[in-house]
């Protein structure tokens, strides 16, 4: 399985939001998309599953051109964990995850044993089986994020898109969640695209990093190749110190000061 | 393991809710049939109803039959139909708009039908034209609102609600005008119609509103999963492949049609379509797979009881049922609301 984003451009009315974005990902790969506020990260994510329709450019999943298939068919291939998914309606965790089966069910179908089994499995993989009968309005933010991941897994996707999945989570839950993503990429052979504000987490857990700047790809590649002080300075406008941690063997980015313009 | 237990438990719970509501509906109907200026024992009611299906020796006075079959039964059936229609239409509108203030009348159906009815009254066209005219005007109002609100193939929620309010005000002004030019007797008729009530029920009305209400409700129930996803947010719904705009259009059309047939049959009955879905939401939760049928059945039960009260409370005259629905329903709703404020989600 291969995800190919081919020369995507998008604009909100007259404002150019994305320009000529291309990249390719293989299964088991995690791509971290980073960049300052307003650089088009979320827009790019939403163009990939065509909830936003790119002005030009195409997304391919293997040989399939996603612009030629229905939204419901895309939802069978691409699961999304949105940035703000907090639901104030008291559905149970189980039924929330069951909603992930929506793209696989026809209008007149009823949920079958197969669907329940998949919910069961998704709950287990996310480690929240014990929450099944709880209301999503009564669980913690970290647990809620796992519920939404489980819902995406119930879609049986090939690609998982996450928009700042660690936002609002404490350090412990951040790590736990990213470890889970890494396991998922390997065990479920998923392609994972994750937008993040946290350069350290992106550097540690993503196989490749894509830096967006003003709607264009500024740099893309291995974390150690592109997360350099000069690149970070150019994109974010801050001085940083970057070193490799001996404990995690991954890059650490320490902000030092903002640059006065 | 846990999940399997959960499914079994939930299935049991939902079946229990549905059985309780269906039994409640049947009991309410039988009970309402016994009540009136001539009290009739429920046992006799059962026998009269049975005699329509199987052969029974008639050991009851002949006029009992005309009271039960000719007068009370159509009224109770129409009450149930209208209550059910308003319940499920209100429920789907609230879910679709994600707005607790939405009611079956958001698309201007109430004032559109009011104008249709008062026009017939003022022009003196005769009673039998009131229902068709009300139906025609309410459906056209709904479509008018829909097409005005539609921008670039989409129906923005805020625009639609505002358009509905604006068109409602417009038709309300027209209704006021008809009232102003109406004669004394006509004015009385208009006011009566506006208050809504089941006093003019007959088998014709039951039979003419039955198919649309039933088919429309079944149609809406096929959108339960879509409504659930819309409730969790438009973005999530899109991500999971819900055709948001199409679902909105379908729900709008179906809910408007069944509301229009309810209103055509018995005028504007407020409150049921707004509050019954909320009451059921508090009782059974936000999941439309159980909430829609519950609102349907709950609306039916509620209107049967309030109508029975409305025809007995100051007998031999009767009150418009809308007065009773609000006076009885509001305190009950507020009680539930205070008790379980957090549970609704709205």
């Amino acid at each position: 399985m291969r995800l190919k984003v081919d020369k995507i451009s998008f604009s909100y009315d007259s404002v150019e939001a994305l320009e000529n974005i291309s990249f390719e990902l293989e299964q088991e790969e995690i791509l971290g998309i980073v960049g300052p506020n307003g650089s088009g990260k979320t827009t790019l994510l939403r163009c990939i599953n065509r909830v936003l329709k790119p002005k030009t450019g195409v997304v391919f999943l293997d040989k399939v051109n996603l612009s030629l298939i229905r939204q419901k068919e895309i939802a069978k291939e691409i699961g999304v964990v949105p940035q703000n998914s907090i639901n104030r309606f008291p559905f149970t965790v189980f039924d929330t995850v069951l909603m992930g089966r929506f793209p696989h069910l026809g209008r007149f179908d009823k949920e079958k044993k197969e669907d329940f089994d998949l919910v069961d499995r998704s709950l287990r993989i996310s480690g929240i089986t014990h929450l099944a009968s709880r209301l999503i309005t009564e669980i913690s933010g970290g647990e809620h994020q796992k519920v939404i991941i489980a819902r995406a897994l119930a879609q049986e996707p090939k690609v998982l898109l996450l928009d700042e999945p660690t936002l609002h989570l404490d350090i412990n839950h951040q790590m736990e969640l990213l470890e889970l993503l890494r396991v998922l990429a390997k065990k479920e052979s998923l392609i994972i695209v994750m937008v993040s504000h946290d350069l350290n987490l992106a550097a540690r857990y993503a196989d490749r990093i894509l830096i967006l700047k003003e709607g264009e790809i500024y740099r893309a590649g291995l974390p150690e190749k592109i997360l350099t002080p000069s690149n970070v300075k150019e994109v974010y406008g801050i001085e940083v110190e970057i070193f490799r941690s001996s404990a995690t063997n991954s890059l650490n980015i320490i902000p030092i000061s903002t640059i006065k313009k | 393991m846990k999940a399997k237990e959960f499914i079994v438990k939930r299935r049991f719970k939902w079946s229990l809710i549905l059985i309780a509501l269906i039994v409640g509906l049947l009991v309410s109907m039988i009970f309402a049939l016994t009540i009136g200026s001539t009290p009739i024992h429920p046992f006799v009611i059962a026998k009269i109803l049975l005699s329509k299906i199987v052969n029974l020796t008639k050991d009851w006075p002949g006029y009992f039959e005309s009271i039960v079959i000719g007068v009370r039964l159509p009224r109770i059936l129409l009450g149930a139909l209208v209550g059910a229609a308003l319940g499920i239409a209100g429920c789907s509108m609230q879910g679709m708009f994600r707005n607790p203030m939405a009611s079956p009348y958001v698309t201007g159906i109430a004032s559109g039908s009011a104008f249709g009815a008062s026009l017939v009254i003022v022009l003196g066209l005769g009673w039998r034209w009131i229902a068709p005219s009300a139906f025609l005007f309410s459906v056209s109002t709904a479509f008018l609102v829909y097409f005005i609100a539609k921008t670039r193939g989409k129906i923005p929620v805020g625009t639609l609600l505002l358009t509905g309010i604006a068109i409602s005000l417009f038709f309300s002004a027209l209704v006021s005008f008809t009232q102003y030019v109406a004669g004394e007797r006509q004015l009385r008729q208009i006011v009566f119609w506006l208050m809504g009530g089941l006093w003019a029920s007959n088998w014709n009305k039951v039979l003419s509103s039955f198919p649309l209400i039933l088919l429309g409700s079944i149609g809406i129930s096929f959108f339960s999963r879509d409504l659930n996803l819309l409730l969790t947010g438009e973005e999530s719904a899109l991500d999971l492949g819900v055709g948001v705009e199409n679902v909105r259009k379908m729900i709008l059309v179906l809910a408007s049609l069944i509301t229009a047939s309810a209103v055509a049959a018995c005028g504007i009955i407020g409150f049921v379509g707004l509050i019954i879905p909320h009451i059921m939401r508090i009782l059974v939760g936000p999941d439309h797979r159980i909430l829609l049928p519950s609102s349907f059945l709950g609306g039916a039960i509620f209107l049967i009881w309030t109508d029975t009260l409305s025809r007995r409370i100051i007998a031999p005259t009767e009150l418009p049922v809308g007065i009773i629905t609000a006076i009885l329903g509001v305190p009950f709703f507020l009680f539930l609301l205070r008790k379980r404020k957090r549970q609704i989600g709205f």
Side-chain angles (χ1 to χ4, degrees):
Chain A
M1 186 61 59
R2 167 183 280 269
L3 174 74
K4 184 179 176 192
V5 173
D6 195 17
K7 299 194 191 95
I8 279 195
S9 297
F10 182 85
S11 56
Y12 292 102
D13 290 327
S14 58
V15 185
E16 208 70 45
L18 289 177
E19 235 194 299
N20 209 17
I21 306 286
S22 299
F23 60 85
E24 283 184 42
L25 288 170
E26 298 276 346
Q27 55 193 40
E28 299 187 21
E29 256 189 314
I30 300 181
L31 175 72
I33 299 179
V34 301
N37 291 333
S39 57
K41 304 186 293 296
T42 300
T43 306
L44 173 55
L45 217 53
R46 306 191 66 216
C47 279
I48 294 176
N49 76 335
R50 291 191 53 83
V51 162
L52 293 177
K53 311 282 182 257
K55 202 171 62 183
T56 55
V58 190
V59 178
F60 288 98
L61 205 53
D62 276 345
K63 293 270 172 285
V64 182
N65 179 343
L66 293 191
S67 62
L68 300 180
I69 64 176
R70 292 173 51 222
Q71 203 63 39
K72 209 167 169 177
E73 298 301 314
I74 295 178
K76 288 181 189 172
E77 311 290 341
I78 302 181
V80 181
V81 178
Q83 194 177 111
N84 193 358
S85 60
I86 293 294
N87 186 347
R88 59 201 159 96
F89 293 92
F91 286 93
T92 59
V93 166
F94 187 93
D95 283 315
T96 305
V97 176
L98 185 59
M99 289 179 193
R101 296 303 297 158
F102 181 87
H104 295 271
L105 292 164
R107 171 138 337 273
F108 306 110
D109 289 345
K110 290 201 82 171
E111 296 94 349
K112 294 174 289 291
K113 186 175 176 301
E114 175 203 339
D115 301 303
F116 297 136
D117 288 345
L118 270 159
V119 172
D120 217 354
R121 181 170 178 275
S122 309
L123 287 168
R124 203 171 52 240
I125 295 173
S126 302
I128 48 170
T129 305
H130 59 290
L131 297 176
S133 58
R134 295 272 297 278
L135 297 178
I136 50 164
T137 43
E138 292 169 357
I139 58 178
S140 74
E143 289 169 334
H144 190 276
Q145 202 63 314
K146 285 187 204 160
V147 172
I148 300 304
I149 289 177
R151 186 184 74 181
L153 290 178
Q155 289 171 250
E156 298 179 280
K158 315 280 189 317
V159 181
L160 198 57
L161 308 177
L162 304 102
D163 197 353
E164 295 192 42
T166 55
L167 201 72
H168 306 310
L169 299 187
D170 65 37
I171 302 176
N172 180 305
H173 284 101
Q174 288 183 7
M175 265 194 77
E176 200 181 55
L177 195 98
L178 287 161
E179 298 285 352
L180 172 65
L181 290 183
R182 200 183 247 173
V183 171
L184 285 177
K186 290 280 171 295
K187 277 202 175 151
E188 309 287 312
S189 300
L190 287 176
I191 296 167
I192 295 184
V193 181
M194 167 179 85
V195 163
S196 181
H197 266 308
D198 191 322
L199 294 180
N200 286 310
L201 286 177
R204 178 160 171 196
Y205 289 99
D207 301 302
R208 283 198 282 154
I209 301 275
L210 188 154
I211 305 180
L212 277 183
K213 190 191 176 201
E214 289 162 13
E216 291 179 57
I217 294 179
Y218 176 75
R219 293 280 189 281
L222 297 173
E224 49 271 29
K225 288 268 171 54
I226 63 158
L227 284 177
T228 61
S230 65
N231 282 344
V232 173
K233 182 175 165 185
E234 182 63 33
V235 173
Y236 287 94
I238 54 170
E239 297 283 357
V240 293
E241 183 192 353
I242 296 180
F243 61 94
R244 190 172 286 277
S245 153
S246 56
T248 65
N249 194 32
S250 56
L251 297 181
N252 271 266
I253 296 103
I254 312 286
I256 299 169
S257 64
T258 57
I259 297 162
K260 299 258 176 349
K261 281 179 184 165
Chain B
M1 286 310 278
K2 272 243 165 169
K4 219 157 272 164
E5 276 168 41
F6 174 82
I7 283 294
V8 171
K9 244 194 206 158
R10 194 192 66 192
R11 207 173 267 156
F12 180 71
K13 194 176 129 199
W14 285 5
S15 315
L16 219 59
I17 290 170
L18 287 181
I19 290 169
L21 284 169
I22 290 170
V23 170
L25 178 61
L26 292 176
V27 169
S28 307
M29 283 177 154
I30 301 274
F31 177 80
L33 280 171
T34 66
I35 288 182
S37 51
T38 312
I40 303 174
H41 195 274
F43 189 58
V44 180
I45 300 275
K47 278 205 290 191
I48 295 176
L49 292 180
L50 265 178
S51 74
K52 293 283 149 196
I53 312 163
V54 293
N55 249 334
L56 282 181
T57 43
K58 301 195 175 180
D59 53 358
W60 55 82
Y63 70 96
F64 270 25
E65 197 159 321
S66 48
I67 290 178
V68 172
I69 305 292
V71 181
R72 290 187 195 163
L73 189 57
R75 178 164 185 160
I76 286 159
L77 286 179
L78 191 65
L81 273 174
V82 167
L86 296 175
I88 197 170
C91 181
S92 58
M93 291 281 199
Q94 288 167 1
M96 175 185 75
F97 287 124
R98 266 187 120 205
N99 189 326
M101 305 293 285
S103 79
Y105 302 138
V106 284
T107 47
I109 283 178
S111 44
S113 66
F115 178 65
S118 51
L119 196 65
V120 169
I121 295 171
V122 166
L123 295 178
L125 298 179
W127 276 104
R128 64 202 173 93
W129 290 106
I130 291 182
S133 169
F135 182 79
L136 206 74
F137 270 92
S138 45
V139 171
S140 0
T141 313
F143 277 95
L144 184 67
V145 168
Y146 172 82
F147 282 112
I148 292 176
K150 199 163 114 175
T151 29
R152 280 189 250 162
K154 292 188 175 182
I155 326 162
V157 172
T159 314
L160 186 89
L161 293 176
L162 277 175
T163 312
I165 291 170
I167 295 287
S168 285
L169 290 174
F170 178 76
F171 277 109
S172 296
L174 290 183
V175 171
S176 298
F177 177 73
T178 59
Q179 286 177 318
Y180 189 74
V181 300
E184 195 102 347
R185 240 189 83 238
Q186 294 171 328
L187 182 62
R188 212 180 144 67
Q189 285 180 0
I190 294 177
V191 171
F192 247 70
W193 194 91
L194 289 182
M195 283 181 179
L198 292 154
W199 32 270
S201 304
N202 54 43
W203 278 106
N204 259 343
K205 287 192 174 177
V206 175
L207 293 178
S208 57
S209 55
F210 173 75
L212 255 186
I213 290 177
L214 201 71
L215 287 177
S217 302
I218 292 173
I220 287 177
S221 68
F222 286 123
F223 290 89
S224 304
R225 278 194 294 261
D226 307 66
L227 283 171
N228 283 347
L229 276 164
L230 277 176
L231 215 50
T232 69
E234 195 174 324
E235 310 261 301
S236 270
L238 286 169
D239 285 336
L240 279 154
V242 177
V244 173
E245 292 303 324
N246 277 330
V247 170
R248 283 210 183 120
K249 284 171 203 165
M250 285 304 292
I251 299 277
L252 266 180
V253 169
L254 291 170
S256 295
L257 281 178
I258 63 177
T259 308
S261 28
V263 167
C266 64
I268 302 152
I269 295 176
F271 183 81
V272 181
L274 179 69
I275 301 299
I276 285 295
H278 284 306
I279 291 178
M280 298 325 285
R281 206 170 273 122
I282 291 170
L283 296 176
V284 310
D287 196 319
H288 285 89
R289 287 172 294 172
I290 184 71
L291 183 58
L292 286 172
S294 298
S295 298
F296 184 85
L297 294 166
I301 294 172
F302 182 75
L303 204 56
I304 289 176
W305 282 94
T306 45
D307 180 54
T308 305
L309 254 174
S310 79
R311 62 191 166 94
R312 291 313 293 162
I313 199 160
I314 51 163
T317 6
E318 53 174 80
L319 273 178
V321 69
I323 296 177
I324 305 278
T325 52
I327 288 178
L328 272 187
V330 170
F332 177 57
F333 172 66
L334 291 178
F335 163 74
L336 282 177
L337 190 65
R338 283 207 44 95
K339 220 173 128 206
R340 303 184 62 175
K341 218 184 285 178
R342 291 178 315 123
Q343 297 281 321
I344 333 181
F346 278 122

